[in-house]
Amino acid sequence: ANPPDLAQLKRAARSGNAAAQLDYGARLSNQKEQFAWYLRAAEQGYAPAQDAVGSHYESVYLFDAKKRPASIHEAVRWTGRAAYQGVPAAQLRLSRFFETGAGVSRDPVIACMWMQLALNNPHATFGERMMASLHRDRLIAKTSPEDFAEGQRLAGDFTYPKPGQLNPIEMRLLVSGLTLAEIYRHND
């Protein structure tokens, strides 16, 4: 089967097809338009688009110092959504966030858990498995054997949330957002 032409893809994207929105966005050269289509698809819960949005915000965090605080928050949120739906690249990115404390509290055990989930993910490509393997080696070198073993145990016990159920990262972000909102309201 031939891939759809750009006009067909645009029609499908405009009709709300999340996969078409991601694919259509990927074919655009204008980065703002591209991101807008990715975000539309991500907001529908489409995991590959959530991964693309998380990756975009991570790039903003790394390369735009003015937008750092807001972008890492969004990178963690969208990456977490994709990781909890089983996207290997997102699981690996989330592991790095927990390893370094970027946007979340540094937690070597949780970093090891996400690395192990990415490494064992049956949907991981060869390249994703290689990246997870390299990341594992780095974590082994800087994590205590007890923390590494606990991360592996957590990965073995891990269950994916049911559709529509908030994942623990969403809950943390929601609670921290509410706490900050309460502080701001109190100081007004």
Side-chain angles (χ1 to χ4, degrees):
N2 291 332
D5 68 17
L6 199 56
Q8 290 173 314
L9 201 53
K10 187 174 185 176
R11 279 192 299 279
R14 282 188 171 163
S15 74
N17 180 307
Q21 290 171 337
L22 179 64
D23 195 12
Y24 179 68
R27 295 186 190 195
L28 298 175
S29 58
N30 179 308
Q31 287 184 334
K32 285 185 180 187
E33 277 186 67
Q34 183 182 61
F35 179 72
W37 283 107
Y38 288 177
L39 191 57
R40 283 182 182 184
E43 287 171 343
Q44 293 183 63
Y46 187 54
Q50 291 172 336
D51 179 47
V53 170
S55 179
H56 167 82
Y57 278 118
E58 180 190 29
S59 293
V60 172
Y61 166 74
L62 292 172
F63 299 110
D64 189 341
K66 287 187 265 183
K67 296 180 181 176
R68 262 195 168 168
S71 60
I72 192 59
H73 177 80
E74 291 298 308
V76 168
R77 178 164 48 140
W78 289 106
T79 297
R81 287 178 178 179
Y84 274 98
Q85 288 190 65
V87 176
Q91 292 172 331
L92 190 55
R93 188 178 321 110
L94 198 55
S95 176
R96 287 195 321 265
F97 291 160
F98 279 103
E99 174 193 6
T100 62
V104 292
S105 296
R106 189 181 174 288
D107 190 328
V109 171
I110 301 302
C112 291
M113 179 194 81
W114 282 111
M115 173 280 307
Q116 194 65 46
L117 287 168
L119 190 61
N120 294 343
N121 192 313
H123 305 292
T125 64
F126 176 78
E128 288 167 334
R129 276 197 176 72
M130 289 301 298
M131 292 300 293
S133 181
L134 291 170
H135 186 59
R136 179 196 57 211
D137 293 347
R138 189 171 67 238
L139 286 174
I140 287 172
K142 61 194 281 191
T143 306
S144 73
E146 297 80 18
D147 283 350
F148 192 82
E150 179 63 8
Q152 289 189 310
R153 186 192 68 73
L154 290 174
D157 293 345
F158 183 83
T159 57
Y160 290 95
K162 295 178 176 112
Q165 181 182 11
L166 285 179
N167 66 59
I169 291 174
E170 291 279 5
M171 289 299 294
R172 279 191 207 160
L173 293 173
L174 183 62
V175 169
S176 69
L178 290 174
T179 304
L180 288 175
E182 290 298 320
I183 292 168
Y184 289 132
R185 269 198 292 277
H186 187 267
N187 291 330
D188 283 348

